[in-house]
Amino acid sequence: MSAAAQAYTLDPTVANCNAYKNACQDYVDALEPYGNCATLTGQSRTDWQNALNDAQANINQIDCSK
């Protein structure tokens, strides 16, 4: 994800934006299974889910058409 972010920073093209957005999505997708961890309970589970939801919302707001 950081390589994609750096590439987009150095060359802000639509292709690099899409690569960055896809890398962010892949990262969030990779984290989702950890929500099933048995030790993640109560407020910790709520906080984790809220953080994941916030990350997904941020990815959804990335507009590569500009």
Side-chain angles (χ1 to χ4, degrees):
M1 191 167 85
S2 69
Q6 184 177 17
Y8 179 58
T9 299
L10 296 174
D11 185 17
T13 63
V14 171
N16 283 342
C17 179
N18 284 320
Y20 172 63
K21 186 173 182 175
N22 290 336
C24 292
Q25 187 64 58
D26 289 345
Y27 183 74
V28 168
D29 290 346
L31 290 176
E32 284 181 349
Y34 292 99
N36 298 324
C37 178
T39 62
L40 191 59
T41 61
Q43 189 61 46
S44 294
R45 179 177 293 279
T46 300
D47 292 345
W48 182 88
Q49 189 61 56
N50 287 340
L52 198 65
N53 291 344
D54 288 347
Q56 185 63 62
N58 288 333
I59 292 168
N60 293 344
Q61 291 179 357
I62 296 173
D63 182 4
C64 294
S65 65
K66 296 179 181 177

